[in-house]
Structure formats: structure tokens, C-alpha cells
Amino acid sequence: GRDGRPRHVFLTDVGAQAYYWIGVFDPAKARFVPDSDAPRVFDLGDHHFSGPSGFVDPKTGRTIVFSIAQGERSAGDEWASDWAHNAGLPITLSIGPDDDLRLAPIDELESLRQDLLLDLADVTPAAAAARLAGVEGDLLEVDLEMKPAPGNAARRGLVVRKTPDGAEHTDLVVDPARKRFEIDRTHTTLDAAARSRGVQGGAFDPRGGNLRLRVFLDRSMVEAYLDERKSITSRMYPSRPDATGLGLIAAPGDRVARLRVWRMGALDAEAAAWHPSR
């Protein structure tokens, strides 16, 4: 921290939503004193990132946090499939120069990368979108770095789980004008009974410079990380099996500094067989 004292993060769960405080822990008194009274959130997925637990890696000193990613299927569907919810991706937490949290997926997740499906650098959004149109999947890692056009406060982001006709799609959007990072699930599914609906998100100030958005897709799971400052954990249950496409949301004058897409592998065959519809 700025006062030279080591900082601790206190995580809690209220109603399946993780909240945090940053402050100082006095081990002699077993007392945590937060820097501010108001709780904050780093995951803006609205009651999907829950049950946080963590530890300090004795080998690397990293602070690693696990979570429970809440599902949205009906009790009947959960009963029929013999499981509900699942583990979210492990993330590392650190304190940034603004004394607020930084978060990122652990580096070990790179071991799940299999085929590199796309690798572009310094291209126009139109060129990137044309190449993205040939990529599909529901088990992917997408790493996008975009250089926004100066002075243009248009919305930017990624489209995932998109059908070829656009009837179903889920949008991950940075909105500089409203200073928001959101997931738009208005058109995620045509299933009238599905709960994956509406727009969820929270405050995010781009602060200028490039935007980096990392997105992990795993069947119904979507986990997105924006500039290592905010994340969105959510669920998608498209009704159509061809809802596997990708798209780009950009403004005129933007540049795609880097865009990579990998097909990800399961941790092991047993895990993939046990949870075929994660």
C-alpha cells in the first residue's frame, strides 16, 4: 500500500455474489481494518462468481482464489443431469498502483491450449471480423487487444456463442460513454424458459490506452477478464447447436493490436466425460 503497510484482501459471499475489502490485518489482535467501509466487487457477472476461497502459493507467493460458478438451469434439469454449478477458473489477485485489485487467470491455464485457430496482429476490425467468421467452438480461449480510435466512445468487445444467422448470440461489451463493462444476454437463447437473460455488468473506466479482453468459453460457462481490473463470470444456454460462432464489436478507426483464439482441451478425459455439458 501507499503507506508502506502490507495489504490483505478480505473476501466474502452474500447471496451468491462475492464482495471484497482491501485493508490491513493485525495478526496479534486477529483484526482486519478495511481501507473503506463499502464493499466492492471485481466480478460483474451478477451473482455467478460465488463462494470465494484462496491461499498463498508457497512456491511462487501468488495469491490464488477459487470460486463456485453458479448455474442457471432449473432444479429439474439439475436433477436429471446429476450435478449443479461448477468450479470457476482459478485466478491470481494482486494490488495495483491505484491500491485496487488486479486479477488474472493463473498462468497454468495455458497448458489447456491446443490448436491455435487464429493469430492476428495490427489489423483493421473488418479484417479481424472476416477471419473470426471462420472460427467456431464452445471450448475456446480468446485473447483480444484493441487500440481504440482516439475520442471515439463507441462500444467495443466480443460476440460469443453466435449462430450464423445471429438469432442467438452473447455480447461482452466495454461502453466508454457509460463507463461500463457488461454482458448482454438478451439474445443468448431462443428458449423462452431459459434464465440466461438481460444485461448484467458494472462500472469500468477505460482510462485510455489499449483494451485487453481475455475470454474463456467452456460449454455453458463464459469467464471474461478486462485489463486485469474487472471480470465477468456468467452462463449461456443457447437452444441451437450451431451457436458456436464469434464476432467483433468495434468502432471506425480502431485497430486490432492482437487477436488470438485457441481451442482448449479438457483437464482429462474422465473430467470431460463426467461433465459433458458444463
Side-chain angles (χ1 to χ4, degrees), residues 68-166:
I68 301 170
Q70 296 290 317
E72 289 182 339
R73 293 185 297 176
S74 68
D77 287 341
E78 290 175 349
W79 177 269
S81 63
D82 293 328
W83 67 282
H85 320 303
N86 55 268
L89 293 176
I91 60 173
T92 59
L93 296 183
S94 59
I95 303 295
D98 57 357
D99 281 346
D100 202 357
L101 279 185
R102 295 294 184 269
L103 64 149
I106 61 172
D107 293 339
E108 287 84 348
L109 292 174
E110 295 180 6
S111 66
L112 300 181
R113 294 172 178 172
Q114 293 190 339
D115 305 319
L116 179 60
L117 303 179
L118 188 62
D119 188 356
L120 303 176
D122 192 22
V123 298
T124 65
R131 294 288 302 276
L132 265 182
V135 179
E136 61 180 7
D138 61 4
L139 192 60
L140 302 174
E141 177 187 349
V142 183
D143 188 359
L144 168 67
E145 183 180 353
M146 185 175 292
K147 182 179 181 180
N152 191 323
R155 299 161 75 251
R156 298 170 173 91
L158 281 168
V159 181
V160 300
R161 299 303 302 271
K162 176 182 177 295
T163 57
D165 62 1

Side-chain angles (χ1 to χ4, degrees), residues 188-205:
T188 289
T189 177
L190 297 173
D191 181 0
R195 303 177 184 180
S196 299
R197 299 287 181 181
V199 179
Q200 295 84 39
F204 175 80
D205 186 353

Side-chain angles (χ1 to χ4, degrees), residues 181-254:
F181 177 36
E182 297 176 330
I183 182 168
D184 186 341
R185 301 188 301 165
T186 307
H187 302 286
T188 289
T189 177
L190 297 173
D191 181 0
R195 303 177 184 180
S196 299
R197 299 287 181 181
V199 179
Q200 295 84 39
F204 175 80
D205 186 353
R207 301 180 184 175
N210 289 4
L211 292 171
R212 188 183 182 194
L213 181 60
R214 295 182 67 191
V215 178
F216 295 81
L217 305 179
D218 186 356
R219 313 302 192 230
S220 72
M221 282 292 299
V222 55
E223 291 160 278
Y225 304 87
L226 178 58
D227 288 353
E228 297 190 353
R229 288 168 49 207
K230 295 294 182 183
S231 62
I232 286 179
T233 300
S234 194
R235 310 295 291 225
M236 306 168 294
Y237 298 97
S239 66
R240 288 171 44 175
D242 62 345
T244 55
L246 298 172
L248 189 67
I249 302 170
D254 287 353

Side-chain angles (χ1 to χ4, degrees), residues 41-52:
V41 295
F42 56 76
D43 193 286
L44 308 175
D46 191 21
H47 297 84
H48 288 92
F49 187 104
S50 69

